[in-house]
Amino acid sequence: MQWRRLAEAALELDLGPDELARVGLGPLAAAREWKPATVALYSKVARYGGLSLPRAPTPEPDPLELDLRPLTELRGTDPEHVRSVAWCALALAWPAPVGMFRSLRRDQVHAGARRLVLRTDGGEWSVAGANTAWHAWETVRERYPALAASPWVLPALRRGPGLDSRIGGRLSNQALQVTFGKHAGRTAQHLRAAAPPSRQAAAAELAAAYRDLSYDSFRRLALAAGAPPVSARGVVRAARSVARTTRRAQRTG
């Protein structure tokens, strides 16, 4: 799906694969008003499709400290919303790369009285604060046979364009990145709409940060806030973020 959208954006500017590889995503980003996180996503999509584009780094969120809890709050029973909330609630305490979440199975998540326990080939983790979202997601899944039978923690909710795509199937990394972006954007809209007058300015600032938030940035923020590392990827960048924040506090203190 993301490859098709990239191709459509290029065709609107009469850019074929060779021209796109030569000029990069700059013209598309300007025409579509893509944000830095979107450019980073589509640069990955292009490389997966065989185009030798330069790597666009996922932008660091600003500020480096960001309240991520609104992304873990339930606001209804829509399956897409509840699935995203369950993902964020897990990731806040278990900030695994998106590829690990893509392959995470339900039988690897064990619900206890106060916390969840995740068991993978890499070890065992105790996850606090995600029980409510996890049980809500399990309850929603039971309403749909294809989701109830799926072994994946984050299954597809609808069929995609691929021949092998099916409800309950395993999503791609790109689809999960887009899913997170949509959830962050919708949460941003909710924050602005629900904030009382005294909180409008703070809500608008947080909403603006959410609109540019990618899952990779969410994960680095969770690591920088003290969540235990799940894999080596992102840990170095998180450590650098903590160091920058510490130096800034020392200079202003």
Side-chain angles (χ1 to χ4, degrees):
M1 179 180 295
Q2 296 307 310
W3 175 256
R4 187 179 72 241
R5 291 177 178 172
L6 177 62
E8 291 172 350
L11 289 174
E12 285 183 2
L13 300 182
D14 294 324
L15 294 175
D18 293 338
E19 292 85 353
L20 185 61
R22 178 169 50 83
V23 303
L25 295 180
L28 278 65
R32 292 289 185 102
E33 297 182 347
W34 285 345
K35 297 173 182 175
T38 305
V39 174
L41 171 62
Y42 279 111
S43 70
K44 295 177 184 177
V45 172
R47 290 196 303 277
Y48 292 148
L51 295 180
S52 57
L53 290 179
R55 183 181 297 273
T58 301
E60 293 286 357
D62 187 20
L64 292 174
E65 294 182 359
L66 193 65
D67 184 6
L68 302 175
R69 290 172 298 176
L71 295 164
T72 70
E73 295 172 357
L74 290 162
R75 301 191 304 273
T77 59
D78 174 72
E80 187 170 9
H81 168 70
V82 180
R83 181 187 61 180
S84 297
V85 168
W87 178 15
C88 291
L90 284 169
L92 195 60
W94 190 72
V98 68
M100 290 184 68
F101 268 106
R102 175 181 182 251
S103 300
L104 187 65
R105 301 187 309 275
R106 293 169 78 187
D107 61 12
Q108 293 176 294
V109 183
H110 306 271
R114 296 185 177 181
R115 59 189 61 215
L116 303 176
V117 176
L118 275 67
R119 298 189 178 100
T120 72
D121 293 339
E124 179 175 301
W125 289 266
S126 178
V127 177
N131 275 35
T132 298
W134 175 257
H135 288 303
W137 176 221
E138 287 288 285
T139 299
V140 167
R141 293 179 68 141
E142 292 303 319
R143 304 202 317 249
Y144 306 92
L147 297 181
S150 173
W152 309 113
V153 166
L154 302 176
L157 302 180
R158 58 187 64 87
R159 290 196 59 184
L163 295 178
D164 296 332
S165 178
R166 60 184 178 82
I167 297 174
R170 185 162 63 155
L171 289 169
S172 67
N173 286 4
Q174 293 87 353
L176 283 175
Q177 292 279 13
V178 171
T179 293
F180 180 88
K182 289 169 61 178
H183 177 58
R186 289 168 179 167
T187 303
Q189 293 175 349
H190 170 76
L191 288 172
R192 300 198 65 169
S198 61
R199 295 285 301 165
Q200 281 291 334
E205 183 178 356
L206 186 57
Y210 277 9
R211 284 195 295 270
D212 288 329
L213 191 66
S214 68
Y215 176 73
D216 290 335
S217 294
F218 174 99
R219 177 175 177 261
R220 288 195 294 274
L221 284 164
L223 286 166
V230 177
S231 72
R233 181 184 174 192
V235 174
V236 172
R237 297 184 72 174
R240 290 173 180 168
S241 295
V242 173
R244 284 195 298 269
T245 303
T246 302
R247 287 195 299 269
R248 183 180 302 143
Q250 291 173 343
R251 287 196 299 267
T252 58

